């Protein structure tokens, strides 16, 4: 495994640990300062929006990412896979599950760490 893939794997481990703990600060630090996410049926989300959304959802959402492929192009990488998750409605307690296709663009930062720069996901059926 080359240096870039080791760095990307470190990003994945940070993501998994932060997700399990639902550590909002650690989750927000996975994104570049100018990150953009394109969620289905919602407006474009920028880095500040993403953090606010994480803070609102801290007690209701859980999920896992399964990545199928990662391609590295210098200081940029593209990966795709899917997200499986569940969300509990705060008012009713009802739990819904979902599965989304995922594509992300990663960027190597000046300190050598990798972060999510762009993300798009769509319902997978």
């Amino acid at each position: 495994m080359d240096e870039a893939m080791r760095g990307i794997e470190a990003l994945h481990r940070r993501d998994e640990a932060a997700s399990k703990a639902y550590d909002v600060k650690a989750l927000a630090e996975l994104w570049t300062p100018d990150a953009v996410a394109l969620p289905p049926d919602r407006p474009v989300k920028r880095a500040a929006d993403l953090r606010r959304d994480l803070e609102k959802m801290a007690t209701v959402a859980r999920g896992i990412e399964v990545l199928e492929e990662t391609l590295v192009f210098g200081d940029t990488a593209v990966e795709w896979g899917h997200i499986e998750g569940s969300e509990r409605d705060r008012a009713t307690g009802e739990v819904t599950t979902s599965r989304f296709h995922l594509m992300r663009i990663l960027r190597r930062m000046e300190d050598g760490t990798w972060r999510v720069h762009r993300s798009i996901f769509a319902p997978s059926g």
Side-chain angles (χ1 to χ4, degrees):
M1 181 181 308
D2 70 6
E3 179 184 342
M5 288 306 296
R6 282 192 298 276
I8 292 167
E9 286 300 320
L11 168 67
H12 295 161
R13 287 190 303 275
R14 290 191 318 269
D15 188 1
E16 184 178 347
S19 295
K20 283 181 181 176
Y22 214 88
D23 181 338
V24 171
K25 182 176 187 265
L27 286 166
E29 289 173 357
L30 298 173
W31 293 81
T32 63
D34 57 343
V36 174
L38 305 171
D41 301 322
R42 295 187 187 160
V44 169
K45 301 286 185 174
R46 300 198 182 271
D49 303 320
L50 294 166
R51 182 167 183 125
R52 277 193 301 275
D53 287 354
L54 288 169
E55 289 168 349
K56 283 190 246 178
M57 294 172 43
T59 62
V60 297
R62 296 288 185 268
I64 61 164
E65 295 173 359
V66 177
L67 299 168
E68 301 288 337
E69 180 180 44
T70 302
L71 303 170
V72 179
F73 306 94
D75 289 338
T76 301
V78 177
E79 57 187 15
W80 68 270
H82 66 271
I83 301 171
E84 298 175 12
S86 61
E87 188 170 339
R88 181 177 42 82
D89 184 288
R90 289 179 192 222
T92 67
E94 182 179 338
V95 175
T96 57
T97 59
S98 56
R99 183 178 163 126
F100 295 94
H101 296 296
L102 168 71
M103 182 167 282
R104 299 193 304 194
I105 298 172
L106 310 178
R107 178 177 283 168
R108 186 180 354 225
M109 307 305 290
E110 288 183 17
D111 67 1
T113 62
W114 288 82
R115 293 189 186 185
V116 178
H117 185 56
R118 300 289 188 259
S119 178
I120 186 168
F121 48 103
S124 65

